Structures are given as structure tokens and as C-alpha cells.
Amino acid sequence: MNLILHAPILAIAIPLLGALATPLLSKLGKTIRNLWIILSLLFTEFLVLILTYDVISNGIRAYTLGAKFPTDTIPTANFIPVRIILGVDAFSVFMALTSVTIVLIASIYSLKFIKERTKSKYYTLLLLLTAAMVGLVFTGDLFSMFVFLELLSISSGVLVAFYFHKGEVVEAAFKYIVISAIGGLMVLLAIGLLYGHYDLLNIAALANTLTFSFSDKVALVLLISAFAMKCGAVPLHMWVPDAYGEAPASISAVLVVASQASLYALFRISFTLFSALPTIEIVAWSIIILGVLSMFIGVVMAILQSDIKRLMAYHAISQTGYMLLGIGVGLAVIGNTNALNSFGVTAMEGGIFHIINHAIYKGLLFLTAGAIIYRVGTKDLNKMSGLAHKMPFTTIFFLIGALAIAGLPPFNGFVSKLMIYESVFRFNPLLSIIAMLVSILTLASFVKVFYSAFMGPKSKEYNKIREVPKTMIIAMLVLALLTLLLGLFPNIVVDNIINPAAHALIDQLKYVGGIL
Amino acid sequence: MIYLLETGTGFWNPLLWLISLFITLLSVYLIRFFGEKNYNKGKEQTLAFYSGNRPTKLAIKSNNIYWGFFKSLDKYYKILSYLHTGLVNDYVFCFTLVIVIMLTLLTIGGL
Amino acid sequence: MINYFPFLAVLILIIMGLSAIIFKKNLIKIIIGISIIGSSVNLFLISLGYRSTGVAPIFTNAPKLEMVLPTPQALTLTNIVIDLALIAFMLSLVALVYKHYKSLDIRDRRLKG
């Protein structure tokens, strides 16, 4: 069987099979279940890697479900695509690569973090979440995007409510699921509006035939707001500290990449469908304003917190602002070829590179917070002090994560922030100055956490804590090494993966021509 | 070459950064090498100066770090904390507000 | 003009659902608001496909008239199932909230700031 030809649908089907077989296999014993989960995630990662190599060298890959050959996208009787088509281009496969990598590392971390009697349910939900994320970024028509979005919200909602014997966790999960439900219904309303006008659901076919009437603008506004709410842009951000703060620590790391999947949907809609809109500058400036507000308010509220996971959740909001700013600047100059070539492509590359960097260092920070909570038992920063004496590895990994998020060389945060600062400065200097100020405040808040939790004399209550188990250290070590490698050798990723991804977003005609 | 990343207006070369780090560490070592060699380690001469008091073993709680920052920006933090209620009603209200504002901007801009 | 009546009903239902979520303080009433918005979106999708002289979209022994569109009916069925799962999950969370907090008022929240 030609593996590359069927790789898009296998990358969605294998986690789904893994999720549904896990409760059955757990009856056979612990080791078989753990082995099955790690193997299915490794196989998905392998499929995404070979798909990356293929898409970067050969261009976009389309897969039609239910046709005789997977590449027949248009049936011979009609002239419009009627089946469900998976369209994998460079940006989709980049998002799938970050998602599956972070889920793999989080599941290795959870082998010791989650208690034994709830592990089957946890891993079932985690594999469903992986299938939903990969499906969201690989799909080529709007309604499958809605179905995978709802699967993502429900499975991540149940995972947020995992420790349901505490009251605050259930409250946070309720807020998260109400927000996701309303966002999903607004997305369906917008899809209905577009369908009623054009009788098409496929993204490539819609991009060809879109005339920008008033109902299309209403659909655009609904889609942008709903997806911005799902990724945590200010002023729609208030569910983020509740949900990220009360979830188990490995799930907070996975929720970061789940929010970035909605960021993918936002950019797919603005660039591929609506980039020929005459008033695209208004849309681009609203994305830029959302980004700047997110950066600033995120970090200002983060310094105030005294709960370690809520603080990191506010920082997640702030870093999402960087991505919105970078790619918003690219959207604003998309009509102007001169500006696009001189700084627009670099701004988009910076924003897209920041997606993978943020997933890596924010995942590392959440996993270290989980390690602290696993041993100490409390989340409150006021009660901890002097942990560096007993947990040296956790201290070093936290330090690497904190320096990376603040944007200090040689870690990877510095590289993407440098690209965003320099290109946004040529667009509008004020935005770049606000971004640099936010970076300084980020460093300040992480110095606060490092000083109060790790430095200082040993506290008397926590005399008996030891270092965390080895699988958790291995997971954090992999992320820390990735941080260092991506900062020291950024060219391997930027020239080979990020640059095709940025051009795949800008070139609407290449997407349409590759699928139809 | 594999080490150079160029943005439009600048570049990041990790090899140059490593060389400059090495030179900085070398100069730190040289300055320490030419310093005063005979001093009493561990006695009063090397302890931190606490304005004449004995050094304490107290850890500062995280609510008290950055006290000056929070005290001077107290007005603005009150407004922000007032806006961040925990009610789900306010979350959906902000959502409708953003939809209404963006819709008016797009309709007015398209005219 | 009578053809636009379903879409007017959709608009009124969405406004009713959103005002239930924004202004009501009881958790169950918020879930009822979400259910109302779900029903209104289903109504919207079905009435997109309606043709006034149409018959059911089945090819066996079909009369020679225009058929209503079948694709929105598929979208609506999927949406009904998704809303069922969401509302079932939300109701079970409300039951757990009542067990921990002893009240269904949203003003008794503990996570703020």
C-alpha cells in the first residue's frame, strides 16, 4: 500500500482507532495499554513526518474520501467538488507536526503523573483530542472543520474537568464548555450563510467563486470572532486562566496546541477565502489591534497572580498576541507586493515560527509547574520557597523555559521575536515598541516566580520532597533540548518548513489549483 | 550558510554569539584573576550587608515581590480587576460587543 | 415577503438565546439559552434548503417536481447530535457544581481576577 498516498486519512484514523481500542486493551493489563498508546502516537508522528517531507518537496496534496482514486477531486458528472476532501499544504502539515509532537511528549509525561485508576479514560480522551486536532488542520471543507472543532471542544472540556472532586475545576470546565458551545454555534451560522449564498462547502471552490456581498462580510465577522474566542485573544480571553489553571498540568500543555489549531482556522479563512476582499485592511487592522491588546493586557494581569498555573495561562494569552500581530501585519500588506516582499513575508514567518516556539517553551513551563504540584501538593506561590535545593532538574528546566519565553538568546523565543520586532517596526514603529515592552514585563514576572518558588532558604514543611520520576524528567529534557536546538540552528526549520508555510498562506491560487 | 538567519534588516548568527559569550567569560575570569587573593572566606568580610542587622533566613512571599510596582499602578489595576469578573455572562457580553464593533467597522469601511 | 418569515424567526430566536445567556444568573437558564441558539441554527439550515413547490429529496418513485436541498438536512442532523452531547455534558457539570457549591447562582463563583 502506498503509505504517502493515504497518509492524510491515516493520520486522522490511527489516533481515533487508538482512542476507541484503549478501554478494551486496558483489560489485558497495564503494559499492553501503555505500549499501544505510545505506539499509535509514534506511528501518527511518523506519518506526519513523511507527509511533511512530501508536501515540502512536491506541493499540496489532496485526498478525496470515497472516490475511486484519492486524487479525483472533481467527479465527472458535476463540475464542483461534492465529496469530503482533505487538503494538506505546508501550513497544515506544520500545525499537525507541532500538535502531534507536543501530545506525544505530554503522554510520555503523564505515564507517571496521572493516577493509575483513571489512566484509561485519560488516554482515550487524549487520543480523541489528537484525532480532532489533526483532522481540523488537514481538512479542506468548512463543515468538517466545524465537526472537528466541536470534537476538540468536547474532549478538551472533559479533560479540563478531570479532577472533578474539586469544586473550582468543575466551575472552570463549565465556563470553558459554554464558551466553546457558543463559538461553535456561531461558526455553524456563518457556514450556513456561506452555503446559502453559493451552494458550496469546499474551501478551494469557495475561494474561486466568492463575491464579497454583505452576507459574506457577516459570515467573515462571525468566523473571526468565534475563532479568536477559541484561541484566547483579548477581550475574549477570560476563560483561559480558569481553564488552563485548573486542568491537569499535561493537559494545559496540550490545550495550548488545541488553541493554536483554532488560530490555524482563523488564518486559513482570512487568507485563503477572503484575501481578495477590497477592505481587507480593516480586517487586518482589527486582527493587529486584537494582538496588541492581548499582548499588553495578558502580561499586565500575569504579574498580579499568585497561582503558578494561572500566571502561565495569562502568559499564553500574551504570546498569542505576538502571533496575531505578526500574521496580521502580513495580512495588512498582502495587496502591496513591494511591502510584502520586503517585510511582510518576514512578519508572517516570525508569527508562524512563534507558534511552534510557543508550543515548545510553554509546554516545558507547564510540565515543570506540574512537577512542582506533583511533589509539593499546592499551587499557591505564597506557600512555596527554596525548592531548588531539593529539585535541581526542575529548576534548570524552569530556568530554560523562562529565559526562552522572555526572548533571550540563544533560545528559540529570541529568534521568532527578532523577526517579529524588525518587520513590524517597518510597518508601524509603535507596535514594535509595545511588543518589546511586553517582553521586558514577561521577564519580570518569571523572575518573580523563579525567586519565590525556587530561590531562598528551604522551607520547613517541604523537607521530604524529592525529585520527580524519570519519565517526567525525560519529557521535560526533550522539550528543553528542542528549545536550545531551535534557537541555535533556526535555519533548518525556517528555510525548510516555515518559509513554504508562509508562502502557502499568501498564495491563494496555489491552494485552489492544487485541489481543484 | 547554515548558521546565519537573516531578517530583512538584521541577522542572528549563533556562532558569533557563542564567540562573544566565550570572550565575556574569559574577561570575567581575567578580572577575577587580577583581584585581591588573600581575604577571609566565610567570615564577616564576605557576608551580604543588611544595613548592620544580622542576615535573615526569611523568604519573601510572592505577593510582596514588586511591591512598589503594584502600589504605584494601583488605580489601573483596580479597573482591570473590576473588568475581570468571573461571570460567564460577561464573557458572552464581550463576545457580542466584539461582533457588533467589527460589523459596524466593516460596513462603514465598505461604503 | 412571507418567504422571509423563517429567517426573521431565526433572528428573534438568536437574540432571545443570547439575552438569556447574558442576563440570567441561574446556571440552568444559561444552558436553556444555549439550547435555544442551537435550535435556531438548525431552523436556519433547514429553511435554507426549502423550495416552495418542493418534494422530499428521494429518487425512488419521485414525482416530476423540484426537490428541496438535501445537504442542509445532513448538516442539521450532525448539529443535533453535537448539541445533544454538549448539553448532556453541561448538565452533568451543573450537577457536580451543585454538589460542591450548594447553589446554582453564578454569582457564587470562586475563580475571579
Side-chain angles (χ1 to χ4, degrees):
Chain A
M1 172 172 82
N2 194 351
L3 201 61
I4 288 194
L5 184 63
H6 296 280
I9 192 63
L10 276 180
I12 304 177
I14 298 282
L16 208 53
L17 172 70
L20 298 172
T22 305
L24 293 176
L25 283 177
S26 67
K27 301 278 185 226
L28 294 177
K30 268 192 346 185
T31 349
I32 296 187
R33 174 198 64 202
N34 291 351
L35 209 60
W36 167 252
I37 292 160
I38 302 289
L39 275 179
S40 43
L41 277 175
L42 275 175
F43 189 51
T44 317
E45 173 91 12
F46 168 69
L47 283 172
V48 171
L49 278 172
I50 58 175
L51 201 55
T52 316
Y53 183 67
D54 176 62
V55 168
I56 303 287
S57 7
N58 298 340
I60 189 173
R61 173 169 285 279
Y63 190 92
T64 319
L65 270 69
K68 212 166 198 210
F69 296 107
T71 45
D72 298 340
T73 51
I74 306 182
T76 48
N78 314 336
F79 296 103
I80 50 172
V82 292
R83 296 194 168 93
I84 296 180
I85 299 182
L86 303 177
V88 183
D89 70 344
F91 190 40
S92 323
V93 83
F94 165 74
M95 299 292 309
L97 188 65
T98 67
S99 317
V100 180
T101 314
I102 298 289
V103 168
L104 180 65
I105 295 179
S107 60
I108 294 179
Y109 181 87
S110 336
L111 282 174
K112 277 299 178 66
F113 185 67
I114 304 290
K115 296 201 179 14
E116 183 55 45
R117 59 185 174 83
T118 52
K119 249 195 213 171
S120 317
K121 304 187 181 96
Y122 176 87
Y123 276 117
T124 310
L125 290 163
L126 192 61
L127 284 170
L128 269 178
L129 189 62
T130 319
M133 276 197 284
V134 176
L136 184 69
V137 299
F138 275 178
T139 187
D141 69 300
L142 285 175
F143 190 67
S144 321
M145 206 181 262
F146 166 69
V147 170
F148 283 122
L149 180 75
E150 291 290 337
L151 181 62
L152 185 86
S153 354
I154 294 182
S155 46
S156 54
V158 181
L159 279 174
V160 166
F162 203 67
Y163 293 149
F164 53 85
H165 51 270
K166 291 195 233 176
E168 285 95 6
V169 175
V170 183
E171 177 193 336
F174 180 74
K175 291 178 186 170
Y176 177 57
I177 202 70
V178 164
I179 294 286
S180 306
I182 296 177
L185 286 170
M186 292 298 148
V187 166
L188 189 60
L189 194 61
I191 292 176
L193 275 173
L194 283 173
Y195 176 75
H197 197 180
Y198 299 108
D199 199 15
L200 288 170
L201 283 174
N202 197 353
I203 295 183
L206 263 179
N208 254 345
T209 66
L210 212 57
T211 68
F212 304 105
S213 60
F214 181 65
S215 69
D216 298 339
K217 291 185 187 171
V218 172
L220 174 68
V221 165
L222 282 173
L223 281 168
I224 288 186
S225 318
F227 284 125
M229 182 153 79
K230 279 290 290 179
C231 35
V234 166
L236 312 158
H237 67 288
M238 313 216 196
W239 59 272
V240 174
D242 299 336
Y244 284 41
E246 307 292 337
S250 42
I251 294 302
S252 301
V254 172
L255 270 179
V256 165
V257 279
S259 310
Q260 284 170 350
S262 350
L263 203 67
Y264 162 83
L266 177 69
F267 294 137
R268 176 62 72 201
I269 299 211
S270 339
F271 276 87
T272 312
L273 276 183
F274 281 96
S275 69
L277 184 67
T279 51
I280 194 70
E281 297 225 332
I282 299 183
V283 176
W285 269 99
S286 32
I287 292 182
I288 293 179
I289 299 271
L290 281 178
V292 171
L293 271 180
S294 311
M295 285 196 294
F296 195 65
I297 293 189
V299 80
V300 156
M301 287 299 294
I303 298 190
L304 193 60
Q305 304 294 324
S306 64
D307 178 346
I308 190 170
K309 280 179 44 195
R310 254 179 111 84
L311 187 139
M312 294 182 182
Y314 270 111
H315 278 296
I317 300 174
S318 157
Q319 301 291 308
T320 309
Y322 273 97
M323 301 169 217
L324 285 171
L325 175 68
I327 305 190
V329 164
L331 186 62
V333 294
I334 202 165
N336 185 356
T337 327
N338 242 348
L340 190 67
N341 286 338
S342 67
F343 61 84
V345 176
T346 318
M348 287 187 58
E349 279 178 14
I352 295 177
F353 194 30
H354 207 74
I355 292 180
I356 191 172
N357 289 347
H358 178 229
I360 293 176
Y361 55 64
K362 189 49 70 108
L364 178 63
L365 283 171
F366 271 120
L367 294 185
T368 51
I372 295 178
I373 296 175
Y374 183 71
R375 282 302 184 201
V376 174
T378 174
K379 278 193 299 194
D380 198 354
L381 274 175
N382 290 331
K383 299 202 177 77
M384 309 180 212
S385 82
L387 290 174
H389 296 273
K390 303 283 197 178
M391 305 169 83
F393 285 109
T394 312
T395 315
I396 296 179
F397 294 140
F398 182 85
L399 194 59
I400 292 180
L403 291 178
I405 196 173
L408 289 170
F411 301 110
N412 54 2
F414 168 70
V415 184
S416 55
K417 282 191 181 179
L418 180 74
M419 296 208 289
I420 292 179
Y421 292 156
E422 297 213 340
S423 41
V424 171
F425 188 80
R426 295 173 62 180
F427 178 70
N428 189 348
L430 184 62
L431 304 173
S432 187
I433 294 177
I434 295 180
M436 289 191 222
L437 191 67
V438 163
S439 190
I440 299 177
L441 284 174
T442 313
L443 181 64
S445 67
F446 272 101
V447 164
K448 161 178 161 166
V449 177
F450 187 64
Y451 183 77
S452 62
F454 290 102
M455 300 268 112
K458 281 187 272 201
S459 66
K460 291 191 201 42
E461 302 97 67
Y462 302 130
N463 240 343
K464 294 199 190 47
I465 54 180
R466 304 170 286 133
E467 189 57 79
V468 287
K470 292 237 175 357
T471 41
M472 290 161 78
I473 294 190
I474 291 178
M476 293 194 273
L477 181 70
V478 169
L479 282 178
L481 279 177
L482 271 177
T483 305
L484 202 58
L485 279 176
L486 279 181
L488 283 179
F489 306 110
N491 277 342
I492 305 178
V493 180
V494 170
D495 288 335
N496 297 330
I497 304 183
I498 312 281
N499 204 356
H503 281 292
L505 268 186
I506 296 177
D507 250 335
Q508 182 194 24
L509 297 171
K510 197 162 60 164
Y511 186 82
V512 173
I515 293 196
L516 288 182
Chain B
M1 53 172 184
I2 200 169
Y3 283 113
L4 187 70
L5 175 87
E6 288 213 3
T7 70
T9 48
F11 64 94
W12 156 244
N13 195 343
L15 206 58
L16 284 180
W17 185 84
L18 280 173
I19 293 177
S20 63
L21 182 73
F22 176 67
I23 294 180
T24 315
L25 288 176
L26 191 67
S27 52
V28 163
Y29 174 71
L30 283 176
I31 293 178
R32 200 163 163 94
F33 179 69
F34 288 120
E36 178 78 35
K37 280 207 227 324
N38 36 345
Y39 60 96
N40 312 329
K41 282 201 179 80
K43 300 285 180 48
E44 293 274 332
Q45 220 173 11
T46 53
L47 289 180
F49 182 65
Y50 268 90
S51 324
N53 307 325
R54 303 237 42 120
T56 63
K57 276 195 169 275
L58 195 63
I60 303 182
K61 303 287 179 209
S62 82
N63 274 346
N64 305 329
I65 299 179
Y66 296 144
W67 172 84
F69 179 75
F70 290 128
K71 195 84 171 141
S72 54
L73 294 180
D74 204 24
K75 273 193 308 189
Y76 307 109
Y77 269 110
K78 270 206 190 13
I79 302 176
L80 267 183
S81 294
Y82 180 70
L83 281 177
H84 282 81
T85 67
L87 306 171
V88 97
N89 307 356
D90 296 339
Y91 300 2
V92 183
F93 177 63
C94 292
F95 176 57
T96 37
L97 212 61
V98 165
I99 289 183
V100 164
I101 291 179
M102 256 213 261
L103 205 54
T104 45
L105 279 177
L106 258 183
T107 7
I108 294 178
L111 289 175
Chain C
M1 193 58 209
I2 196 75
N3 294 334
Y4 292 132
F5 194 61
F7 301 108
L8 196 62
V10 167
L11 191 63
I12 294 178
L13 275 175
I14 289 185
I15 293 179
M16 273 168 46
L18 273 178
S19 58
I21 301 179
I22 296 180
F23 294 116
K24 291 295 175 187
K25 302 289 182 208
N26 193 346
L27 286 176
I28 305 275
K29 295 187 182 173
I30 295 177
I31 299 180
I32 294 178
I34 295 181
S35 180
I36 294 178
I37 299 185
S39 307
S40 76
V41 173
N42 290 340
L43 177 65
F44 177 64
L45 284 174
I46 292 279
S47 54
L48 278 179
Y50 180 65
R51 299 287 175 262
S52 60
T53 56
V55 293
I58 303 173
F59 275 118
T60 322
N61 299 333
K64 296 240 185 290
L65 292 170
E66 194 181 0
M67 287 182 178
V68 300
L69 294 182
T71 323
Q73 301 186 353
L75 309 182
T76 309
L77 281 173
T78 314
N79 191 30
I80 291 177
V81 174
I82 291 178
D83 284 344
L84 166 77
L86 273 172
I87 301 229
F89 179 46
M90 280 194 263
L91 283 173
S92 62
L93 280 179
V94 167
L96 277 172
V97 164
Y98 185 69
K99 194 171 82 148
H100 288 292
Y101 284 29
K102 303 290 182 296
S103 107
L104 280 179
D105 198 335
I106 202 170
R107 280 173 291 214
D108 295 338
R109 78 253 184 255
R110 291 186 206 154
L111 294 171
K112 51 175 125 172

